[in-house]
Amino acid sequence: EDQVTQSPEALRLQEGESSSLNCSYTVSGLRGLFWYRQDPGKGPEFLFTLYSAGEEKEKERLKATLTKKESFLHITAPKPEDSATYLCAVRSNQAGTALIFGKGTTLSVSS
Amino acid sequence: GAVVSQHPSRVICKSGTSVKIECRSLDFQATTMFWYRQFPKQSLMLMATSNEGSKATYEQGVEKDKFLINHASLTLSTLTVTSAHPEDSSFYICSARKTGSETQYFGPGTRLLVL
């Protein structure tokens, strides 16, 4: 069965304190792994799509990496405005067009 | 690019009435659109997948006669909550997948409150 697990559930950081969020997945044929950011009361905002192991993508203070079993979202020198819930999702050959979401990591960055 | 809009952003209705929510891809064509529901502090729950010009595919446990989905064009899908009840109160979010792409882009969501 396809499965996505995110850890930790919640993460508190001081401004400037770099860290990583983890997304472990078990799928029957990965068609894509996606990272989204969701602010309270809003829809998810697309961050990255990764397709194959070894792939990396960066955007400002965020960098996403992918292996055959997990993905990391690295946050370098975070700022309070990076506080949000970060969602990881995968699309597998078995799931068809649907995305399988993890439960998310809620990040709080204090100044 | 890849902007998805939803209308309305917030709606309050009386029990027993029907509510229609629109989802539009503003700057791309979307063969496939998705409707999700999200409860407080929980992740997104897929309700149904709609393909332009064909009937929607509903997830297990989602009543197709209650949640009517129409995907009449490559840029518009609508979700109608029929005979709404207080338990239908939730945050409804749509997404659209660019034709030829794997990535889904989400709308800003619609907060429905049924009194």
Side-chain angles (χ1 to χ4, degrees), chain B residues 35 48-50 56 58 64 67-71 77-80:
Chain B
W35 287 95
T49 301
S50 74
Y58 291 82
K64 63 179 181 181
F67 298 99
L68 301 179
I69 292 171
N70 183 278
H71 191 165
S77 176
T78 60
L79 168 68
T80 302

Side-chain angles (χ1 to χ4, degrees), chain A residues 36 38 43-44 49 91 99 102, chain B residues 38 43 97 102-104 106-108:
Chain A
Y36 293 90
Q38 186 175 26
T49 302
R91 184 179 173 192
L99 292 181
Chain B
Q38 188 174 35
S43 193
R97 189 166 64 94
E102 295 288 346
T103 301
Q104 287 184 30
F106 286 82

Side-chain angles (χ1 to χ4, degrees), chain A residues 76-90:
Chain A
T76 302
K79 297 182 177 181
E81 53 262 42
D82 294 323
S83 299
T85 295
Y86 291 85
L87 299 171
C88 171
V90 299

Side-chain angles (χ1 to χ4, degrees), chain A residues 41-87:
Chain A
K42 297 188 178 180
E45 174 190 346
F46 171 71
L47 294 175
F48 304 108
T49 302
L50 301 167
Y51 292 103
S52 56
E55 192 174 357
E56 298 183 354
K57 289 193 175 173
E58 283 187 73
K59 178 182 177 181
E60 297 179 354
R61 295 180 293 281
L62 300 177
K63 179 180 177 181
T65 62
L66 181 65
T67 72
K68 289 186 177 180
K69 294 183 179 181
E70 58 191 350
S71 176
F72 290 95
L73 184 65
H74 307 276
I75 303 178
T76 302
K79 297 182 177 181
E81 53 262 42
D82 294 323
S83 299
T85 295
Y86 291 85
L87 299 171

Side-chain angles (χ1 to χ4, degrees), chain A residues 1-5 24-27 90 100:
Chain A
E1 183 183 342
D2 297 336
Q3 199 167 0
V4 177
T5 304
S24 298
Y25 64 91
T26 305
V27 295
V90 299
I100 302 165

